[in-house]
Amino acid sequence: MTGAPARGRGRPPRAESGDTRDRILAVAREEFSERGYEKTSVRGIAKAAGVDSALVHHYFGTKEQVFQEALEAVFAPALKAPDVIFEGPADGVGERFARFLFGIWENPVTRTPLLAVVRSAVTNEVAAAVFRRLVAAQLLRKVASQLGLPDAELRAELAAAQMVGVAIMRYVIKLEPLASADLEVIIKRVAPVVQGHLTGP
């Protein structure tokens, strides 16, 4: 007696595979956001998604690879920065960069998973390595390539460090009065420093 070929353990029908993969990734983002990298497991992601852990490995491989894909989704809005910040006069690039990135931090929808990613990167070397690969390759190098200066990568990293430092103090540590300061005040203070890193002597 013949029938449909047997599927691998935990694998959904082909028609369902796209939806299942998306559901697993959405759950993974939530798990990493709530628990951080170290306390999140493939088994936990699978349980929360209602699938077998073998299916998570099938789609994504290791926990590090799941984290990287989840991180790419979190950082998707920030990866548009190079297109935005170089639209306009060169003397306004610092303000546009600051306004764009702080706008992402100010949005509760993007801030929550971003906070989890930053916390994970600070406390875990594997998470930090994934963070470095993604941010360096897909964001800062693109910014640097638009500058056309010999030390462009260092300039882009210094500009990013300036804003990430402020973001950590404001949104993670919540140091007052910075945590409650009007965003326009922060941008007015930070933008000239970012501009100096990007285009100054």
Side-chain angles (χ1 to χ4, degrees), residues 32-51:
F32 286 123
S33 295
E34 293 176 6
R35 304 173 186 276
Y37 183 84
E38 289 189 354
K39 293 182 180 180
T40 298
S41 66
V42 169
R43 186 185 298 273
I45 293 170
K47 182 178 179 181
V51 299

Side-chain angles (χ1 to χ4, degrees), residues 134-159:
L134 179 63
V135 173
Q138 298 195 35
L139 177 59
L140 298 182
R141 285 178 191 164
K142 289 181 179 179
V143 171
S145 69
Q146 300 272 12
L147 294 176
L149 297 168
D151 57 348
E153 286 194 22
L154 176 60
R155 288 172 176 269
E157 288 176 6
L158 286 169

